[in-house]
Amino acid sequence: MHHAKKTEDVMQDLITGPRGISREEARRRLAQYGPNELKDAKPVSPLVIFLSQFKSIVIWILIAATVISALLKEYIDAIVISVILVLIAILGFIQEYKAEKAIEALKRMASLQATVRRSGEKMKIDAKDLVPGDIILLETGDKVPADARMISSFNLETQEAALTGESLPIRKIMNELPESTPLADRKNMVFSSTIVTSGRGEAVVTGTGMKTEIGRIAKLISEVEKEKTPLQQKLDQLGKWLGVATLAVCFVVFALSVLKNPAAISHLQALNFMEFFREAREMFITAIALAVAAVPEGLPAVVTISLAIGTTRMLKRHALIRKLPSVETLGSTTVICTDKTGTLTLNQMTVKRIFANGKIIDVTGSGYDAIGEFQADGRKIGTREIELILRIGALNNDAELKDGKVIGDPTEGCLIVSAAKAGMPKKDLIEKFPRIDEIGFTSERKMMTTIHRSGKGKIAYSKGAPDVLLRNCSFINANGKVRRLTPKDRKQILDTNSKFAEQALRVLAFAYNPISKKNSKAPEKDMIFVGLQGMIDPPRKEVKSAIEKCRKAGIKIVMITGDHEKTARAIAMELGLDGNSITGEKLEQMDDISGIVDDIAIYARVNPEHKIKIVDALKKKGHIVAMTGDGVNDAPALKKADIGIAMGITGTDVSKEASAMILIDDNFASIVNAVEEGRGTYSNIKKYFAFLISGNLAEVLIIFFGILFGMPLPMTATQILLINLVTDGLPALALSADPFEPNAMARKPRRKDEPIYRDLRAFIIYYPIVMTAAALTVFSWFYYRQQADLLVAQTATFLTISMFELYQAFTCRSTIYPISKVGIFKNKYLVLAVAASVAVIASSIFIVSIGKYLDMAPLTIAQFFTIMLISSAGGIIIEVWKYATSRSEGKISTETPTAAQTA
């Protein structure tokens, strides 16, 4: 722990000195420690990514179905399934090819030049050639090339927000610190890839490459194993169930068929296997065809298409999805862990309070936009009475405001902005009061003074810590009049400072002193106090309403930040974020935080390891966790979370590469939109599941009970496969693009272990029973009552099942609301798909030249429309059930769906 040792001890441990190490020693250490760069993650081959798309059990079953279809000479079916498989793989490959690049991004961050002193000689070298013991020289604007212990500092400050979450630059010191000091408070260290915002200094390198703090994060990222999303887990479970069910269907149907065939049994008893297979051939083909039909080969395709459509819709709402399953995961999110700096806040320091002339003045506006006004007791005031304090803040300042961005210290930048709000741009002030001298800020003095020309004279402007500056003041400027500073004045100033600090404001005091011969040697003595300015990194204005929306949607918001607890609590209070707070130091002392994690809403002063610890504890409690962030320090937790959300504008490459989703506009409110899209996408997948499983289950029941009741086969193998392709295929694809059901954000998140078939009993129990009864009744009527040809009865059964499923496609537009609420014709793709399916069915029945190849016999027009009418019974029953249940559960309301829901 180099921060806990004196500089001399650190240099002694590293066998180096102020002159640095020699070139020869540097070469030896480079061989010993290796280059100052991050190790490459093992590259993932594009072929491996492509082949990984075939890991799903459902995909394996489909491959088997393809082979079986080809063996049965059902080549069209085999080709269609093969095309679906290839499309699934290509879509998944395109989405995931650019993933897993976090280590490469970290490596790019570390690639730069470094200024070092070796053998007493100053030189520039490639940063990758740095070794422990090197003396590095740092100046304003430099990117720190390695972790190092400070040797000397002349007002050196570094911006470490991307590493620690601290929004303010850190002023560096030389003193040793306690060993338990958190990373964000190790002010005597500089860290690789942070930026020097002001000052200069020297430091001795203590860690390079993977031994740096950023290297430790790289290691954390590489060690995090990505778990399967809830949807992937559900599909795998479904695949296993379908695999077993498919084999069972094959066996049972074939066994029943054989038992009903005396000739086949006699051949089997005589061990005449050739004659047995010849006799049982049709039964075997039907059993296999039924098994192929039972497998929802469209499910992976429709899931992939639904997720892909979801990514397109989310992109329009400023959320870029990097991995398809993340769309569904968002919809089931129960906790959003969000970084404070730059995510909930603007990452732009802003003056919010001014104390001058004995009163507190509020400053409106946020960030570096010079728009705002000054108010006292809620009323706008003129800027004349605060002109002096604003002028001092703008002139006693080394920062610049350019194109809405601050160059330099953000604290000084916000002082320029507050003056600009009063119509006092810094460039105009500099022309009127040019700087001619200065006494710089040091950590010991805690104040800064600049000397300016003022007319024919000179004036000193000072800013600094309130308690320090106040000790240097003997007078006060109150309402334009200078008088002696009284004990009462001092108490009021210090009380106001404490009040501002309790509001998590960073407070600076301001004073001036006209220069005369008498005080020219000591311009900081007997100064005239002017007032205080309190500043903070303010919340984004849209975040509060976004958090409220999340609360209504049953989603908990947790703030995780490297900032101080008091600051975090102040921001949380302003945003309406309720809950207890805890620091990283306390987390460090706890082995297991799962017992308290549900009660904590604010985590302050945390390290990257703490963030992973928090995410782990939440996941243990059954939560589906989304983690937002923009810094390097967020990357491991982004990868560990169920869904990592990076900021598109302020986010580092590392956070983006480790994430599953990127907010293009850095707007926390866009997360709410993404959650809504995720819920809608999952709802569409559920619609398809209800549509597909009910139809497939009915087909199995029809064949099963037909054989059990001693009937001939109600359908041929070709008819079964035709239903599978035409009736199931097109409408299912159309359902994947269905407009979302209304009020998606009014419902609580579904549980992680919630089965996909929950609340679908009408679709997967009642509907298949009604369809089975209707189909067997139609078959019996034609075959037994009308004494029709077997193929005619089978064609009538085929038409019954097909129309049942097409009617059901419309009822599946909502699994909750009646079709009257969501609209019958709002999905134009579904209308076209059903029309196309009816056209294919009608052509196969009425056009003999087509029907003979598809095992179809002609029906009369009357028979055709009578069956179409009978088949509507299933849809009517479902709609009545939905209406009754939605009324009893209060789901039908007068709420108007949002534009996004009806788009």
Side-chain angles (χ1 to χ4, degrees), residues 368-434:
Y368 299 146
D369 193 350
I371 297 174
E373 56 185 39
F374 302 88
Q375 300 175 347
D377 298 322
R379 290 177 296 184
K380 182 179 178 182
I381 65 168
T383 58
R384 191 177 190 85
E385 60 182 295
I386 53 173
E387 182 180 329
L388 181 56
I389 190 172
L390 295 176
R391 183 201 309 157
I392 297 171
L395 289 171
N396 185 281
N397 201 309
D398 290 327
E400 290 182 31
L401 184 64
K402 191 173 184 180
D403 299 325
K405 294 181 179 180
V406 165
I407 301 171
D409 189 331
T411 301
E412 292 194 321
C414 72
L415 297 174
I416 298 174
V417 174
S418 66
K421 288 177 181 178
M424 300 165 58
K426 183 180 177 180
K427 63 177 183 178
D428 292 351
L429 293 173
I430 290 173
E431 289 178 7
K432 192 173 182 180
F433 303 94

Side-chain angles (χ1 to χ4, degrees), residues 248-493:
V249 165
C250 284
F251 179 77
V252 172
V253 170
F254 182 67
L256 285 174
S257 300
V258 170
L259 290 174
K260 296 287 183 179
N261 189 320
I265 293 175
S266 64
H267 289 312
L268 187 61
Q269 288 173 336
L271 300 179
N272 191 344
F273 296 113
M274 289 300 295
E275 290 301 321
F276 168 76
F277 282 120
R278 186 174 288 112
E279 186 69 37
R281 179 179 176 276
E282 185 181 353
M283 305 169 203
F284 179 73
I285 290 174
T286 301
I288 295 297
L290 190 60
V292 170
V295 177
E297 73 275 4
L299 182 59
V302 170
V303 167
T304 302
I305 291 169
S306 295
L307 296 176
I309 291 172
T311 63
T312 304
R313 291 173 62 116
M314 285 185 180
L315 189 57
K316 292 177 181 177
R317 303 183 80 178
H318 309 295
L320 172 64
I321 297 296
R322 299 181 66 244
K323 295 187 178 181
L324 281 181
S326 304
V327 177
E328 179 270 340
T329 310
L330 265 172
S332 56
T333 298
T334 58
V335 177
I336 298 176
C337 296
T338 172
D339 186 48
K340 178 186 72 68
T341 305
T343 307
L344 295 176
T345 66
L346 291 169
N347 197 19
Q348 297 178 356
M349 293 298 289
T350 306
V351 173
K352 302 300 289 183
R353 303 276 189 279
I354 293 175
F355 173 73
N357 302 315
K359 60 185 177 183
I360 295 175
I361 297 161
D362 295 318
V363 185
T364 65
S366 293
Y368 299 146
D369 193 350
I371 297 174
E373 56 185 39
F374 302 88
Q375 300 175 347
D377 298 322
R379 290 177 296 184
K380 182 179 178 182
I381 65 168
T383 58
R384 191 177 190 85
E385 60 182 295
I386 53 173
E387 182 180 329
L388 181 56
I389 190 172
L390 295 176
R391 183 201 309 157
I392 297 171
L395 289 171
N396 185 281
N397 201 309
D398 290 327
E400 290 182 31
L401 184 64
K402 191 173 184 180
D403 299 325
K405 294 181 179 180
V406 165
I407 301 171
D409 189 331
T411 301
E412 292 194 321
C414 72
L415 297 174
I416 298 174
V417 174
S418 66
K421 288 177 181 178
M424 300 165 58
K426 183 180 177 180
K427 63 177 183 178
D428 292 351
L429 293 173
I430 290 173
E431 289 178 7
K432 192 173 182 180
F433 303 94
R435 185 189 299 190
I436 56 175
D437 203 355
E438 67 180 85
I439 305 171
F441 181 97
T442 68
S443 55
E444 292 77 24
R445 283 168 30 81
K446 294 186 178 179
M447 62 180 290
M448 172 183 177
T449 299
T450 53
I451 313 296
H452 301 262
R453 291 198 183 278
S454 178
K456 294 182 179 180
K458 300 177 185 178
I459 192 167
Y461 290 144
S462 295
K463 73 169 185 287
D467 56 335
V468 174
L469 194 67
L470 198 56
R471 286 199 295 268
N472 287 25
C473 293
S474 301
F475 303 92
I476 185 170
N477 186 310
N479 298 308
K481 295 180 181 179
V482 177
R483 59 174 174 79
R484 186 162 288 280
L485 199 60
T486 66
K488 184 179 178 181
D489 293 327
R490 292 181 186 276
K491 183 178 185 304
Q492 184 185 22
I493 293 165

Side-chain angles (χ1 to χ4, degrees), residues 590-607:
M590 303 172 68
D591 294 329
D592 185 9
I593 63 170
S594 56
I596 63 167
V597 73
D598 281 332
D599 301 321
I600 305 295
I602 304 161
Y603 296 87
R605 305 305 276 172
V606 297
N607 292 335

Side-chain angles (χ1 to χ4, degrees), residues 436-596:
I436 56 175
D437 203 355
E438 67 180 85
I439 305 171
F441 181 97
T442 68
S443 55
E444 292 77 24
R445 283 168 30 81
K446 294 186 178 179
M447 62 180 290
M448 172 183 177
T449 299
T450 53
I451 313 296
H452 301 262
R453 291 198 183 278
S454 178
K456 294 182 179 180
K458 300 177 185 178
I459 192 167
Y461 290 144
S462 295
K463 73 169 185 287
D467 56 335
V468 174
L469 194 67
L470 198 56
R471 286 199 295 268
N472 287 25
C473 293
S474 301
F475 303 92
I476 185 170
N477 186 310
N479 298 308
K481 295 180 181 179
V482 177
R483 59 174 174 79
R484 186 162 288 280
L485 199 60
T486 66
K488 184 179 178 181
D489 293 327
R490 292 181 186 276
K491 183 178 185 304
Q492 184 185 22
I493 293 165
L494 292 174
D495 286 347
T496 304
N497 176 46
S498 298
K499 184 178 179 180
F500 283 1
E502 286 171 5
Q503 297 168 1
L505 297 175
R506 185 181 187 189
V507 187
L508 290 176
F510 299 83
Y512 71 100
N513 207 356
I515 303 296
S516 63
K517 290 181 180 180
K518 184 179 177 181
N519 67 359
S520 61
K521 300 291 186 182
E524 294 180 337
K525 185 180 180 182
D526 295 329
M527 301 190 80
I528 304 167
F529 184 84
V530 177
L532 308 171
Q533 292 198 58
M535 58 212 69
I536 196 170
D537 179 15
R540 294 174 179 271
K541 60 183 179 181
E542 66 279 351
V543 168
K544 187 171 184 177
S545 59
I547 288 176
E548 182 59 29
K549 285 182 182 178
C550 286
R551 186 180 289 110
K552 289 180 179 177
I555 300 169
K556 179 181 178 179
I557 306 299
V558 174
M559 179 194 294
I560 302 179
T561 178
D563 219 332
H564 292 279
E565 186 175 14
K566 185 181 285 188
T567 305
R569 286 195 65 82
I571 294 294
M573 188 179 297
E574 195 170 339
L575 291 173
L577 192 58
D578 301 322
N580 299 327
S581 63
I582 192 171
T583 63
E585 190 175 356
K586 291 179 182 176
L587 284 179
E588 197 72 48
Q589 300 166 7
M590 303 172 68
D591 294 329
D592 185 9
I593 63 170
S594 56
I596 63 167

Side-chain angles (χ1 to χ4, degrees), residues 518-776:
K518 184 179 177 181
N519 67 359
S520 61
K521 300 291 186 182
E524 294 180 337
K525 185 180 180 182
D526 295 329
M527 301 190 80
I528 304 167
F529 184 84
V530 177
L532 308 171
Q533 292 198 58
M535 58 212 69
I536 196 170
D537 179 15
R540 294 174 179 271
K541 60 183 179 181
E542 66 279 351
V543 168
K544 187 171 184 177
S545 59
I547 288 176
E548 182 59 29
K549 285 182 182 178
C550 286
R551 186 180 289 110
K552 289 180 179 177
I555 300 169
K556 179 181 178 179
I557 306 299
V558 174
M559 179 194 294
I560 302 179
T561 178
D563 219 332
H564 292 279
E565 186 175 14
K566 185 181 285 188
T567 305
R569 286 195 65 82
I571 294 294
M573 188 179 297
E574 195 170 339
L575 291 173
L577 192 58
D578 301 322
N580 299 327
S581 63
I582 192 171
T583 63
E585 190 175 356
K586 291 179 182 176
L587 284 179
E588 197 72 48
Q589 300 166 7
M590 303 172 68
D591 294 329
D592 185 9
I593 63 170
S594 56
I596 63 167
V597 73
D598 281 332
D599 301 321
I600 305 295
I602 304 161
Y603 296 87
R605 305 305 276 172
V606 297
N607 292 335
E609 296 92 336
H610 298 148
K611 295 186 177 187
I612 294 178
K613 192 174 185 178
I614 294 163
V615 172
D616 275 336
L618 286 166
K619 292 174 82 170
K620 280 181 184 176
K621 297 287 283 188
H623 289 290
I624 294 180
V625 184
M627 166 75 185
T628 73
D630 59 356
V632 175
N633 62 324
D634 295 319
L638 288 177
K639 195 171 180 183
K640 180 68 176 177
D642 292 292
I643 177 163
I645 307 171
M647 301 297 114
I649 300 172
T650 60
T652 58
D653 284 348
V654 182
S655 63
K656 291 174 186 176
E657 298 288 353
S659 69
M661 183 179 105
I662 299 171
L663 293 183
I664 295 173
D665 59 353
D666 283 17
N667 192 334
F668 183 86
S670 296
I671 298 174
V672 183
N673 298 334
V675 169
E676 184 176 2
E677 294 291 339
R679 290 186 176 188
T681 299
Y682 182 78
S683 175
N684 280 0
I685 293 170
K686 196 168 181 176
K687 292 175 191 178
Y688 170 75
F689 178 82
F691 170 70
L692 185 82
I693 295 299
S694 59
N696 288 11
L697 185 57
E699 291 170 36
V700 173
L701 292 175
I702 290 164
I703 298 296
F704 178 80
F705 284 107
I707 295 172
L708 190 65
F709 295 154
M711 297 178 178
L713 286 173
M715 287 185 294
T716 67
T718 302
Q719 288 173 342
I720 292 171
L721 294 173
L722 186 61
I723 289 173
N724 208 35
L725 289 172
V726 178
T727 312
D728 290 349
L730 294 176
L733 290 173
L735 282 173
S736 68
D738 204 49
F740 295 161
E741 294 180 23
N743 307 324
M745 292 301 285
R747 299 191 288 271
K748 300 297 181 186
R750 65 184 181 278
R751 290 189 359 240
K752 189 174 183 177
D753 57 351
E754 178 184 307
I756 196 171
Y757 50 79
R758 185 182 175 185
D759 297 330
L760 295 180
R761 60 182 181 276
F763 293 89
I764 62 178
I765 297 176
Y766 307 154
Y767 201 87
I769 291 173
V770 172
M771 191 193 299
T772 300
L776 291 178

